[in-house]
Amino acid sequence: LHILGDTALHLCICKELFDMYPNASAGDLHLLRTCAISDDVLAYVTIKNEICNFLYDNEAAQTLLLKSEIKKSDELGIATWASKNGWFLEGGAKEFNRRWHSDRWTSQYSSTKKIMEPRYAGLVGGRLLGHKSKLPDKLTDDLSFSLKAVIGAFVFAHGLDKMWCCFLPIFKELMMFSPEELRTELNEFSPLCSNYQKGRTCDILESYLSKRTEY
């Protein structure tokens, strides 16, 4: 189930990102994917969405330590948001809602215009806020492994498309930053944002994209 979930998650994330940024280079897509599904990210969203409540003893030492780190990062993020009108980017919470309810997301998955608030205050650029390096494996491995296994079970039971309809809302907030925004606006928060250089789009892909826009 873990292998199936890992593959399915990568496929769905990569397709989503390519549809959003069809002119992205390989370096761009590596950056976007890493910021959406690094081990730190998967452990964080598993805790924040309370998926861990059905999988682990919440009083276990490693779980409590991870929750403590998440709490510290969330507090830093909330303080940062307060100085930026409610989000990491200019425009704050209003800009977050504009992106959340963009035509692409709305037409594909929902027609509602409910006001949404960003939830992942302690997570930016694939890292917990305040952490310049990856969290220790002992804090994230079990949770990231288990989340992928859960995703694999969904795929096995319901198919890829239905799985993604269920899990997209969990990952949607993590895909709202463009490669340029990650490298310029969020670079101060996460070293990952400067680890992946833009590079160049391959000639074959450039040719395909130019022909696609002619029709």
Side-chain angles (χ1 to χ4, degrees):
L1 290 178
H2 166 262
I3 294 174
L4 176 59
D6 179 61
T7 304
L9 181 59
H10 275 79
L11 175 62
C12 290
I13 288 287
C14 288
K15 181 184 184 302
E16 207 73 48
L17 293 171
F18 184 75
D19 286 346
M20 293 172 70
Y21 306 104
N23 294 309
S25 67
D28 290 338
L29 291 173
H30 274 293
L31 172 60
L32 291 166
R33 183 187 65 179
T34 301
C35 290
I37 54 174
S38 70
D39 285 345
D40 287 9
V41 168
L42 296 181
Y44 180 96
V45 300
T46 301
I47 294 288
K48 292 293 285 187
N49 291 281
E50 300 183 349
I51 300 172
C52 62
N53 292 352
F54 305 97
L55 303 172
Y56 291 99
D57 176 8
N58 282 321
E59 299 304 315
Q62 299 298 339
T63 304
L64 290 175
L65 181 56
L66 177 58
K67 286 184 175 182
S68 174
E69 293 300 321
I70 288 175
K71 182 180 179 182
K72 294 175 187 176
S73 295
D74 281 347
E75 290 172 350
L76 286 173
I78 290 170
T80 302
W81 285 1
S83 66
K84 294 176 176 286
N85 297 315
W87 199 36
F88 286 111
L89 297 183
E90 184 177 350
K94 287 185 178 180
E95 176 60 16
F96 175 85
N97 267 274
R98 186 192 70 77
R99 296 187 185 202
W100 185 278
H101 294 300
S102 68
D103 290 341
R104 167 177 159 64
W105 299 113
T106 302
S107 61
Q108 189 173 359
Y109 295 102
S110 172
S111 60
T112 63
K113 289 289 186 179
K114 185 174 77 170
I115 295 176
M116 303 296 295
E117 294 183 359
R119 297 184 300 133
Y120 300 153
L123 193 63
V124 61
R127 291 284 182 261
L128 263 66
L129 202 57
H131 290 262
K132 295 298 183 182
S133 58
K134 184 182 182 300
L135 291 174
D137 290 342
K138 63 183 180 181
L139 294 185
T140 61
D141 277 0
D142 286 346
L143 286 170
S144 61
F145 182 97
S146 297
L147 180 59
K148 291 173 183 177
V150 170
I151 290 172
F154 266 78
V155 174
F156 188 77
H158 303 291
L160 186 67
D161 289 342
K162 288 185 178 179
M163 177 281 291
W164 191 231
C165 284
C166 291
F167 281 89
L168 173 62
I170 291 176
F171 292 95
K172 185 173 172 180
E173 183 174 334
L174 304 169
M175 296 186 284
M176 289 190 176
F177 304 114
S178 71
E180 292 75 18
E181 288 169 337
L182 286 168
R183 293 190 180 104
T184 58
E185 304 293 329
L186 304 178
N187 185 49
E188 64 177 297
F189 302 115
S190 169
L192 276 180
C193 296
S194 58
N195 284 355
Y196 295 91
Q197 300 304 310
K198 183 175 181 62
R200 62 188 296 271
T201 308
C202 71
D203 294 336
I204 295 176
L205 182 56
E206 287 178 346
S207 175
Y208 165 73
L209 292 171
S210 64
K211 289 179 179 179
R212 190 174 70 168
T213 58
E214 293 174 0
Y215 297 98

